[in-house]
Amino acid sequence: MIGRFVGGRFGGGHTPQVPAQPAVDPVAAEIAQMGASVDSLRAAVRRSGSRLPPLLTSQLRHLGDLMREAVTDIGIRGCSTEQRVLLNAMICSYVPTPLQAYLSLPPAHHDEESSATFMFAEQLATLQETLADLLNQIRIGAVEELSTHGRFLADKFSAQDAALQLQQPASERDPLRLEGQSWQH
């Protein structure tokens, strides 16, 4: 700071330029973190091995696949803040917390027909439905956005299309084409 003041007053050397730091997109960073969290969750399911009944393992793996698909989709198509928050909560809390609670139960509760297994399976089914709905909303949102953009372009350029068309004199018109000709009885 003093160097800049002295340099400015007495014509001294210039201030060295500091290279600009590339701006970090917080949404992209959040999506990347969600992807890492999904991978961590999937690894935790694989590590749990025989402590999980096959029903729960299957549901958790399918849910992990859907979560990975959702993260990829929002990275490509984007989504609303609410959708990102819901997906992040599912990845970081709604699945890992009950999974850890289930795994912390005594082994007698890990039976395929125990009430704990049944409750956890119901929770996972509800999360799977919610995630499938979220994926659908993300995809429909992208389609709606594209449709809206298409309507905008059609409206914007439709008036110009009529002005750009060349009108042929009546003598040069094809007699077999009925466009623009009046009907006579």
Side-chain angles (χ1 to χ4, degrees):
M1 177 150 177
I2 294 175
R4 205 169 16 149
F5 174 75
V6 172
R9 291 287 185 209
F10 300 108
H14 58 36
T15 306
Q17 295 292 328
V18 177
Q21 294 290 337
V24 177
D25 181 12
V27 173
E30 181 182 4
I31 293 170
Q33 179 59 43
M34 281 192 277
S37 296
V38 168
D39 294 340
S40 175
L41 179 62
R42 292 167 88 181
V45 170
R46 284 190 304 270
R47 278 192 312 269
S48 62
S50 64
R51 294 176 17 197
L52 286 173
L55 170 68
L56 294 180
T57 300
S58 174
Q59 282 184 297
L60 285 164
R61 286 185 177 211
H62 182 65
L63 205 52
D65 291 344
L66 287 176
M67 287 177 182
R68 171 48 69 193
E69 186 179 337
V71 170
T72 301
D73 278 358
I74 67 170
I76 294 169
R77 293 181 176 100
C79 68
S80 70
T81 302
E82 293 83 8
Q83 291 168 332
R84 254 191 353 266
V85 168
L86 175 60
L87 181 59
N88 193 34
M90 291 175 100
I91 293 169
C92 296
S93 180
Y94 297 167
V95 176
T97 302
L99 174 62
Q100 292 305 317
Y102 181 83
L103 292 173
S104 68
L105 292 172
H109 293 283
H110 295 179
D111 183 58
E112 183 95 22
E113 301 188 8
S114 72
S115 62
T117 299
F118 181 71
M119 261 195 316
F120 190 31
E122 281 185 339
Q123 290 174 1
L124 292 176
T126 301
L127 288 171
Q128 185 177 341
E129 289 174 18
T130 305
L131 188 55
D133 184 48
L134 178 65
L135 275 165
N136 190 38
Q137 288 176 15
I138 291 168
R139 290 176 182 148
I140 287 173
V143 169
E144 285 296 319
E145 184 177 335
L146 186 59
S147 176
T148 301
H149 185 68
R151 283 192 305 271
F152 166 76
L153 291 175
D155 290 346
K156 180 163 178 60
F157 295 112
S158 67
Q160 293 177 0
D161 281 347
L164 293 175
Q165 293 178 354
L166 297 175
Q167 297 294 325
Q168 293 179 333
S171 61
E172 294 180 17
R173 289 190 183 149
D174 183 2
L176 299 177
R177 294 187 71 194
L178 299 176
E179 294 175 3
Q181 295 182 15
S182 61
W183 287 91
Q184 296 177 358
H185 297 292

